[in-house]
Amino acid sequence: MLDARAMLAKLDLTEAEIDVYLMVLKGVQSAREIISATTRSRPTVYYALTALERRGLITRSGNSEEYRYQAEPLTRLKAILQAQEDTLAITRTQLEEFMAIQQEGDRQPQVVFYEGLQAVRGVILESLYCRSGKIDSIVPSDNFFWQLGSDFVDQYTELNYTLGISTRNLWDKSIKKGGSEEYYRKTETRILPDSMRDKFNTTVFIYDDLVLNILPRASGYAFVVRSREHSEMMRVFYETLWGLGKSY
């Protein structure tokens, strides 16, 4: 028999959040009723409600005198699980890089491959934790992000904005927007020269001393070149293309 509490605990909900969430799932809508039903203190219940709302599991309506709470679709739990898997993938890629550095020496150029959907997602999200806080990208119109779906676009752009990453984008051609509008207000975007249109399908990120190459989803892998000399050369190419690009 399914132990709902144990399952929710694995999604990093606290005991108080589990109590409150299960009450809302049963149709209990007010904080006062939840306090009475769970015997939890008022501050604890309100803190749990705020945490659940922040995670997208519940929504509130009404006025501040007595908000009414309602559970969001249970598919939101899958989103939390996906975020955990992405975090694990990031940790895995960091471990792989650490091991490669220890084995080859930090000064030696390195090429690290990431195969499989979760590994590719992980190394993309990890790029947002770059030391410089700056990413230059070259993006084809039919790229990994859109092939994967708007949910990943939303996750990436929201995290990008939250971390305050300064981003320049060179697009193959105009691409439909997705994710946080705040992200697009903080980025610079130009369109590549017409001669490059539809000529490539690899997305390239340049940051720190790394160049991340993301192949289409069908290929199922990405690779990172760690080399100060290579990244400097790629930046020269990038600045040239940026100067030739058209404002978006």
Side-chain angles (χ1 to χ4, degrees):
M1 182 176 179
L2 174 65
D3 186 341
R5 296 188 65 88
M7 182 272 295
L8 293 171
K10 290 179 180 179
L11 296 178
D12 292 335
L13 271 67
T14 66
E15 286 297 316
E17 290 167 5
I18 293 171
D19 285 344
V20 172
Y21 185 50
L22 291 176
M23 285 294 102
V24 176
L25 285 175
K26 290 178 180 178
V28 181
Q29 293 188 324
S30 74
R32 177 168 45 81
E33 293 170 328
I34 294 172
I35 293 169
S36 176
T38 62
T39 68
R40 295 248 179 208
S41 68
R42 178 184 177 88
T44 298
V45 168
Y46 274 101
Y47 184 85
L49 286 167
T50 300
L52 292 169
E53 186 178 7
R54 188 182 300 117
R55 300 185 74 174
L57 294 177
I58 65 173
T59 54
R60 63 177 172 176
S61 59
N63 55 54
S64 58
E65 293 183 1
E66 185 167 32
Y67 288 119
R68 310 298 291 180
Y69 296 90
Q70 184 173 357
E72 285 291 284
L74 293 177
T75 51
R76 295 297 178 91
L77 294 171
K78 286 188 176 181
I80 294 176
L81 179 60
Q82 184 63 64
Q84 288 181 332
E85 292 176 350
D86 289 337
T87 299
L88 180 60
I90 291 173
T91 303
R92 184 178 294 110
T93 59
Q94 291 173 335
L95 176 60
E96 290 173 352
E97 287 192 31
F98 173 78
M99 293 173 63
I101 290 171
Q102 297 303 311
Q103 292 170 358
E104 302 295 336
D106 199 18
R107 295 184 179 181
Q108 296 296 322
Q110 300 165 4
V111 180
V112 182
F113 287 84
Y114 300 90
E115 187 171 4
L117 186 59
Q118 291 303 325
V120 175
R121 288 170 61 106
V123 73
I124 290 173
L125 294 176
E126 186 195 357
S127 69
L128 296 174
Y129 296 90
C130 53
R131 297 188 305 274
S132 63
K134 298 179 180 180
I135 297 176
D136 289 332
S137 72
I138 304 174
V139 185
S141 54
D142 186 18
N143 58 75
F144 177 88
F145 288 80
W146 292 118
Q147 293 168 3
L148 196 59
S150 60
D151 286 347
F152 184 61
V153 176
D154 292 344
Q155 181 184 4
Y156 176 85
T157 54
E158 184 65 29
L159 186 57
N160 185 300
Y161 174 74
T162 300
L163 293 174
I165 303 300
S166 174
T167 306
R168 292 191 300 177
N169 302 309
L170 278 170
W171 285 355
D172 176 13
K173 53 188 174 184
S174 297
I175 301 175
K176 59 182 179 179
K177 288 185 177 181
S180 168
E181 285 300 314
E182 294 295 333
Y183 163 79
Y184 291 100
R185 279 196 280 271
K186 287 193 63 176
T187 60
E188 297 180 76
T189 300
R190 293 187 182 181
I191 306 300
L192 288 164
D194 292 342
S195 60
M196 296 186 67
R197 181 165 296 180
D198 298 323
K199 295 295 193 302
F200 65 99
N201 58 9
T202 298
T203 302
V204 179
F205 285 3
I206 307 169
Y207 57 97
D208 296 340
D209 60 348
L210 305 171
V211 179
L212 167 61
N213 301 270
I214 310 160
L215 277 70
R217 179 177 180 177
S219 298
Y221 75 93
F223 65 94
V224 174
V225 179
R226 178 188 291 275
S227 165
R228 181 170 56 82
E229 293 79 6
H230 181 67
S231 63
E232 288 175 351
M233 180 187 68
M234 290 296 294
R235 283 192 175 88
V236 172
F237 290 155
Y238 193 91
E239 293 300 336
T240 301
L241 291 174
W242 185 261
L244 295 172
K246 301 176 183 177
S247 298
Y248 178 71

